[in-house]
Amino acid sequence: MTDAPSTPVSRTRLNELAQQVTPLDERELLPVRAPYDDSVVGEVPLCTPEDVRSAVADAQSAGEAWAAWPIEDRTAVFARFHDAVLDRREALLDVIQTETGKARADALEEILDVAATARYYANLAERELASKQRAGAIPLVTKAVEHHHPVGVVGIISPWNYPLSLSVSESIPALLAGNAVVLKPDEGTPFTALWALDVLRECGLPDDVFQVVTGEGPRLGEPLIEGVDYVSFTGSTEVGRTVAETAGRHLTDCSLELGGKNPLLVLDDADVEKAARGAVRGCFANAGQLCISIERIYVHEAVADEFRDAFVRETRGLTLDAGYDYGHDVGSLLDRELLEKVEAHVEDAVEKGATVLSGGRARPDLGPYFYEPTILTDVTPDATLADEETFGPVVSLYEVESVSEAIERANDSAYGLNASVWTERTQRGEQVAARLETGTVNVNEAYAAAWASIDAPMGGMKDSGVGRRHGRHGLLKYTESQTVATQRLGLLSPPKRGKQVWADGATLGLRLWKRLSEVLP
Ligand code: NAD
């Protein structure tokens, strides 16, 4: 193995970040490793269930004062945060790369995403959180107003693959809505979240409103879910089910952003070169460790050979290596467990008849967890990766005879997160999209178009999730709506005498109302 570059982030800085959780000499410590060479770069406290309960209690008291802040003061914190994230881009890229081992361009996506999310919700919050007059039961007689109150404390449980985006972009709308947040980042990637906490405080977020607890998911998950008023979970479908069960027992509302086995469809009229470049990004961005990345490609037989050749050529052109600069396209996988899963999936598929068109092997010469971008064909239905998410740089290529077959096979999955359609006729692409059972569909893009359209909802159908992030829903899910209806005249109940007249009058009233609603705009 060539010498891996050592992290540009100092141990002292990482220690400072970790001290925000609790003094390091008061707890057992959890080592954090750099995937580039598996070295320990720092430690964070191994929090206990008691730590979680006390973080929730502190968040609760701090949250009450925060919720009383005028909305424009709350939004100002996130407007400053937007600038701070962009100003300190390089330092933050170093932290993200250190603990994920991803390529720098992949880490950059997270920074752009968090800044854009801060800007979007800072602009949206005042309008969406404002109380709104609604149509009352009887026009002019009943006044109805919809209010949105913070839920209280929001618990956020996030994964390691996009440690900034999936921790902080989820926290921003929760905080803006007037809630406190207790975040449990993944065991492997706590420093990115702690960096964000530090900067948010510098931007004016009051102490204790945003708490980070570090430690093991199975140990901290239950006390966190028990204590909070809403749970936002991003991670695997398997753990998502456990989170939902616990939340269900406590009648705590939750949103679950889970796994995917995302299809890409190349139609017979696609620009094949463009589709091949888009597919490379879709399959191998973040070394495939992306919930919305592409793991299945269905290509129409009319363009199958041409697409395959272009896709293989583009994939072989990717550079794979470690480095804290933009010199390489693809970085490392997170750890041994994931590398072994990727190897097992490919070996199993090959044993059952698949052919490797590109890649197909680990690269220990570059670092302990590097794996080449891999294209498989002839994958049989009994191969594990035919249905199961690999969550690595591996894609299966299938030839189909028609668009209907491509749609049918794309939908033949327990998952329903993201899909991609390539065609020169965008209207045709949108018609195909409407027939796909996924929460997002990108036409002539792989995943970034839908993800970066923050104004539109994002999430999974079927086993890929419950609820949505982004858009107004991504803010309002962190509120309790309350309707206050004021009756200005009389009561909406039958009088003591004259019930027949009241019944006839109410029936006539409804008939007239229907007529009016048919003619009025
Ligand atoms: P994971 O489910 O193993 O872990 C996610 C988080 O849950 C971590 O913080 C972990 O500590 C915590 N956790 C583990 N056990 C827990 C428990 N019993 N109770 C509460 N929390 C617990 O997922 P992962 O391996 O970190 O991430 C990869 C998975 O996440 C993939 O399946 C991927 O598709 C999915 N993902 C989905 C999205 C999305 O937006 N839909 C985004 C990123 C990743």
Side-chain angles (χ1 to χ4, degrees):
M1 181 179 123
T2 50
D3 278 349
S6 54
T7 172
V9 190
S10 76
R11 186 84 173 217
T12 317
R13 175 69 180 136
L14 294 176
N15 273 349
E16 271 168 24
L17 291 175
Q19 299 277 2
Q20 295 177 107
V21 180
T22 192
L24 285 180
D25 52 5
E26 290 181 6
R27 290 287 175 284
E28 265 188 74
L29 297 179
L30 178 71
V32 179
R33 294 173 179 278
Y36 278 164
D37 60 2
D38 203 33
S39 61
V40 173
V41 290
E43 283 104 11
V44 291
L46 197 55
C47 289
T48 61
E50 195 39 56
D51 290 330
V52 173
R53 283 188 271 273
S54 104
V56 172
D58 291 348
Q60 206 155 24
S61 356
E64 283 164 22
W66 168 244
W69 277 35
I71 183 68
E72 56 273 23
D73 292 352
R74 291 209 300 266
T75 56
V77 171
F78 292 93
R80 287 194 288 273
F81 183 63
H82 168 276
D83 296 345
V85 166
L86 295 180
D87 290 345
R88 295 166 202 198
R89 188 188 70 196
E90 294 303 311
L92 179 52
L93 286 171
D94 290 340
V95 178
I96 298 174
Q97 278 197 288
T98 295
E99 58 184 9
T100 60
K102 62 171 71 182
R104 202 160 184 88
D106 293 328
L108 181 69
E109 280 190 329
E110 299 204 56
I111 292 182
L112 303 180
D113 173 63
V114 163
T117 304
R119 187 245 310 135
Y120 172 74
Y121 281 116
N123 289 340
L124 188 80
E126 186 165 0
R127 190 179 73 230
E128 286 300 329
L129 296 173
S131 299
K132 291 179 185 68
Q133 184 112 13
R134 298 292 177 203
I138 299 179
L140 305 177
V141 175
T142 317
K143 174 185 163 197
V145 180
E146 174 189 334
H147 301 284
H148 284 276
H149 303 295
V151 291
V153 181
V154 173
I156 294 183
I157 303 176
S158 60
W160 49 266
N161 62 326
Y162 278 75
L164 184 69
S165 276
L166 299 172
S167 301
V168 180
S169 291
E170 265 315 279
S171 304
I172 290 169
L175 290 164
L176 267 168
N179 300 290
V181 165
V182 179
L183 166 70
K184 199 219 76 65
D186 190 83
E187 290 83 327
T189 55
F191 286 119
T192 303
L194 290 167
W195 185 97
L197 171 66
D198 188 37
V199 175
L200 271 167
R201 285 180 175 161
E202 222 181 283
C203 292
L205 190 73
D207 285 352
D208 291 349
V209 166
F210 185 25
Q211 310 254 345
V212 177
V213 286
T214 49
E216 294 159 344
R219 190 158 175 237
L220 305 187
E222 178 116 16
L224 180 65
I225 299 164
E226 262 173 26
V228 297
D229 305 293
Y230 187 98
V231 182
S232 165
F233 172 82
T234 307
S236 60
T237 298
E238 190 191 351
V239 176
R241 287 188 207 282
T242 310
V243 168
E245 276 170 23
T246 312
R249 269 203 309 282
H250 296 277
L251 292 182
T252 302
D253 199 1
C254 66
S255 54
L256 308 166
E257 304 286 344
L258 310 176
K261 186 78 191 172
N262 309 301
L264 180 147
L265 284 62
V266 185
L267 308 193
D268 46 0
D269 65 343
D271 175 335
V272 166
E273 289 291 330
K274 198 166 85 180
R277 286 195 300 278
V280 166
R281 188 77 199 134
C283 301
F284 305 123
N286 211 34
Q289 305 163 112
L290 170 61
C291 55
I292 46 184
S293 77
I294 303 299
E295 295 199 359
R296 301 178 285 152
I297 296 182
Y298 299 99
V299 54
H300 195 283
E301 60 183 5
V303 290
D305 292 348
E306 212 188 324
F307 174 80
R308 183 198 55 228
D309 293 349
F311 183 44
V312 169
R313 186 191 68 234
E314 291 288 331
T315 301
R316 288 189 180 149
L318 291 171
T319 57
L320 181 70
D321 211 342
Y324 292 93
D325 56 26
Y326 292 101
H328 307 288
D329 300 316
V330 183
S332 172
L333 298 182
L334 180 81
D335 58 15
R336 176 152 312 283
E337 196 185 334
L338 184 56
L339 175 71
E340 285 174 359
K341 182 180 178 195
V342 170
E343 287 182 319
H345 272 200
V346 173
E347 276 164 29
D348 167 78
V350 170
E351 263 167 35
K352 289 171 178 162
T355 309
V356 178
L357 293 182
S358 184
R361 62 190 178 120
R363 290 293 301 271
D365 52 319
L366 303 176
Y369 311 128
F370 280 84
Y371 195 90
E372 289 185 343
T374 298
I375 306 172
L376 300 176
T377 189
D378 308 321
V379 172
T380 53
D382 59 338
T384 306
L385 60 62
D387 305 313
E388 260 188 39
E389 181 186 43
T390 303
F391 214 57
V394 182
V395 63
S396 310
L397 191 56
Y398 304 96
E399 193 174 313
V400 291
E401 291 177 5
S402 66
V403 174
S404 294
E405 186 192 347
I407 295 170
E408 198 177 307
R409 293 179 65 177
N411 286 340
D412 186 16
S413 170
Y415 293 111
L417 191 56
N418 179 45
S420 169
V421 180
W422 293 80
T423 167
E424 279 302 274
R425 284 149 54 202
T426 49
Q427 209 181 358
R428 183 181 185 215
E430 286 159 7
Q431 283 162 359
V432 169
R435 295 168 64 193
L436 290 170
E437 296 163 0
T438 55
T440 50
V441 184
N442 292 265
V443 178
N444 293 335
E445 233 292 332
Y447 64 85
W451 178 273
S453 300
I454 306 173
D455 194 34
M458 163 101 221
M461 296 184 186
K462 303 196 260 187
D463 287 358
S464 288
V466 173
R468 296 287 183 268
R469 56 162 54 106
H470 289 177
R472 55 192 292 279
H473 178 77
L475 175 72
L476 295 183
K477 72 180 180 183
Y478 293 122
T479 66
E480 285 285 7
S481 69
Q482 182 189 43
T483 299
V484 178
T486 307
Q487 191 64 12
R488 289 169 166 141
L489 195 69
L491 296 176
L492 285 180
S493 48
K496 202 159 174 48
R497 273 189 289 278
K499 288 192 174 61
Q500 182 63 51
V501 176
W502 191 91
D504 292 343
T507 305
L508 180 66
L510 282 185
R511 289 191 202 285
L512 285 173
W513 200 338
K514 178 167 178 265
R515 284 271 173 82
L516 276 174
S517 61
E518 282 162 359
V519 292
L520 291 176

